[in-house]
Amino acid sequence: MDGQTAAGMRYWTHGHGRRDTFLLVHGWCCDHDFMTPLARHLVDREARAITVDMPGHGASPPPADGYGVTAMADHLRAFAQALDLHRVFVIGHSLGGVWSLVAAAGDRTRFTGLVLLDSAVAGPPGAAAAIGQVAASLRDDTSGAVRESIVRSYFPPYSDPRLVERVVAATARPSTEVAYAPIAGLADWIAADGDGTALRRWDRPLLFVGSNAPFADYARLAELAPQAFIGQTVGSGHFVQLQVPTQVDAMLDRYREVTG
């Protein structure tokens, strides 16, 4: 499980697995640790799980080509190619789900399964403009106050305060650029119908797991990806894999059973 580097990204391998490999991709201002609990569950199910630090996050160096959605997805594909991974189930949380979707849709010979954990795809009208406003507020947020306010808003009031403070502290570590540039890239991508294009291209079953206030419009998601399984957690904020892990684990297990 010691950290290694491939295609310029740090990664950690959990278990060996008999057949499938799961590539776990963290979200905005996060790192591989946010996906470690899910990796442990997969190891218990005799799978191999790989957690990564995306470029500019955690222990991985910043990317030379910026934080746009396509560029970050290209890094993810290059990583899978560098490790010669096949039959990859990619699981992305939040913005990591967006990067995972684009990577998988662009290489369906290598990626065979896709799980999006409360990712910003198939949003309601005006989503791109709203996300662009968030990016602008983060660009000028040298104190980190805006970022902290956003992260805290992702937790319902009955959340475990220890988990809230742990997540707030971890998401405060990345630079201001890492906080705003990926969000600005997300806004541009959605404005260009990037999510619609990628969801239509991924013509295989996918699992979307939403929070108590999901970013996705479920009706639009079902229209763009009629083969999608849409799951709704109970009593969870945005960090579903940390707040209600048993719910996420159960949905993931069933997705694996159904899709083979």
Side-chain angles (χ1 to χ4, degrees):
M1 176 178 166
D2 292 340
Q4 302 178 63
T5 302
M9 292 167 54
R10 294 285 284 172
Y11 71 96
W12 290 257
T13 301
H14 309 254
H16 301 286
R18 296 180 178 177
R19 185 177 59 144
D20 297 325
T21 294
F22 287 80
L23 180 56
L24 278 54
V25 185
H26 64 78
W28 173 68
C29 282
C30 299
D31 59 28
H32 72 280
D33 277 339
F34 282 74
M35 306 301 284
T36 299
L38 186 53
R40 294 194 186 107
H41 169 74
L42 291 166
V43 169
D44 289 343
R45 296 298 189 269
E46 299 184 340
R48 175 174 64 154
I50 299 173
T51 56
V52 298
D53 281 350
M54 289 296 287
H57 299 73
S60 294
D65 51 354
Y67 293 95
V69 169
T70 300
M72 294 294 274
D74 285 346
H75 285 287
L76 201 54
R77 271 198 300 269
F79 174 82
Q81 292 166 3
L83 268 62
D84 195 27
L85 302 178
H86 297 277
R87 288 190 55 85
V88 180
F89 283 70
V90 60
I91 305 175
H93 171 245
S94 186
L95 190 50
V98 172
W99 301 330
S100 298
L101 166 63
V102 178
D107 189 353
R108 286 172 292 170
T109 61
R110 192 176 300 274
F111 294 93
T112 59
L114 175 64
V115 178
L116 309 179
L117 303 179
D118 209 34
S119 298
V121 298
I131 293 169
Q133 292 175 356
V134 172
S137 68
L138 289 165
R139 183 185 57 225
D140 303 324
D141 181 35
T142 55
S143 70
V146 173
R147 188 188 323 187
E148 179 177 343
S149 176
I150 292 171
V151 173
R152 290 189 182 279
S153 75
Y154 288 155
F155 289 93
Y158 44 79
S159 301
D160 182 345
R162 295 168 298 179
L163 175 60
V164 175
E165 296 309 318
R166 179 161 63 88
V167 170
V168 166
T171 54
R173 296 186 190 119
S175 68
T176 301
E177 181 184 14
V178 172
Y180 85 82
I183 302 300
L186 175 63
D188 292 341
W189 180 73
I190 290 177
D193 191 39
D195 53 341
T197 299
L199 285 166
R200 294 185 193 97
R201 184 176 297 169
W202 180 261
D203 54 0
R204 297 170 179 168
L206 67 90
L207 170 63
F208 185 96
V209 179
S211 68
N212 63 319
F215 288 114
D217 178 328
Y218 289 163
R220 182 164 181 255
L221 176 59
E223 178 183 351
L224 291 169
Q227 75 282 11
F229 297 98
I230 302 174
Q232 174 69 53
T233 57
V234 176
S236 177
H238 179 54
F239 294 89
V240 292
Q241 77 279 18
L242 300 180
Q243 196 157 28
V244 288
T246 55
Q247 294 184 40
V248 175
D249 293 346
M251 284 187 268
L252 177 57
D253 289 346
R254 183 57 176 161
Y255 172 69
R256 290 183 70 192
E257 292 173 7
V258 170
T259 60

